[in-house]
């Protein structure tokens, strides 16, 4: 462990210069809970992650995205998963190319999932939504009012 006195940063360093040197975080004595592989993959609940981030649990792993606001209104985002690219060819800047958003459909806890792909280098736009009641709308922005009747 290294402490940088100039900035107050704390570093957990693997001083070996190869991909086999791992860093582990343990609890309850010797139980390894988090692993950072020398090559950069991070595992929570596993000591051998196969991807950049891997969650593992004998009872089923879950990734939770939480909004801790107590007054959520229709249209508010609960959270989102973004897909970003760094390709800035064709005179376009890199950035988010698509996302899946949890959207509040009212103040009663109903939430829909909105899918935002992008065409070419345009900004992501909502193309499909699965409403909290299970209806699916494709090619419309949201599922409200008169649009509800034309949904699957």
């Amino acid at each position: 462990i290294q402490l940088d006195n100039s900035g107050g940063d704390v570093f957990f360093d693997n001083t070996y210069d190869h991909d086999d040197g791992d860093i582990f975080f343990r609890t309850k004595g010797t139980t390894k809970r988090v692993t950072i592989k020398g090559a950069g993959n991070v595992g929570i609940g596993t000591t051998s992650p196969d991807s950049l981030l891997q969650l593992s649990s004998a009872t089923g792993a879950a990734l939770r995205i939480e909004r801790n606001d107590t007054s959520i209104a229709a249209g508010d985002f609960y959270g989102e998963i973004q897909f970003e690219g760094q390709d800035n060819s064709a005179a376009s800047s890199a950035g988010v190319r698509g996302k899946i958003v949890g959207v509040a459909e009212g103040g009663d806890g109903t939430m829909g999932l909105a899918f935002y792909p992008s065409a070419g280098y345009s900004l992501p736009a909502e193309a499909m939504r699965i409403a909290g009641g299970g209806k699916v709308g494709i090619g419309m922005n949201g599922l409200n009012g008169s649009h509800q009747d034309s949904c699957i």
Side-chain angles (χ1 to χ4, degrees), residues 27-93:
T27 61
K28 288 185 155 183
T30 61
T31 304
K32 296 175 184 173
R33 302 293 183 177
V34 178
T35 301
I36 303 174
K37 299 297 284 182
N41 288 354
V42 176
I44 300 174
T46 179
T47 57
S48 55
D50 296 319
S51 61
L52 192 56
L53 175 63
Q54 181 175 339
L55 310 177
S56 180
S57 170
T59 58
L63 176 63
R64 179 176 292 186
I65 300 172
E66 178 182 1
R67 178 178 174 146
N68 62 1
D69 182 357
T70 59
S71 59
I72 298 172
D76 287 350
F77 286 6
Y78 278 97
E80 59 186 71
I81 300 171
Q82 296 182 346
F83 304 92
E84 182 171 344
Q86 295 303 316
D87 179 15
N88 59 3
S89 61
S92 176
S93 61

Side-chain angles (χ1 to χ4, degrees), residues 92 97 118-123:
S92 176
R97 297 292 174 228
S118 63
Y121 289 102
S122 63
L123 292 174

Side-chain angles (χ1 to χ4, degrees), residues 1 6 17 19 23 26 29-30 35 59 72 83 86 90 95 99 106-107 111 116 124 133 135 137 143 149 152:
I1 298 176
S6 64
D17 190 17
D19 287 348
I23 296 173
R26 298 187 296 194
T30 61
T35 301
T59 58
I72 298 172
F83 304 92
Q86 295 303 316
K99 58 187 178 179
M111 185 193 83
Y116 289 73
K135 291 191 175 193
L143 296 177
D149 295 333
I152 299 171

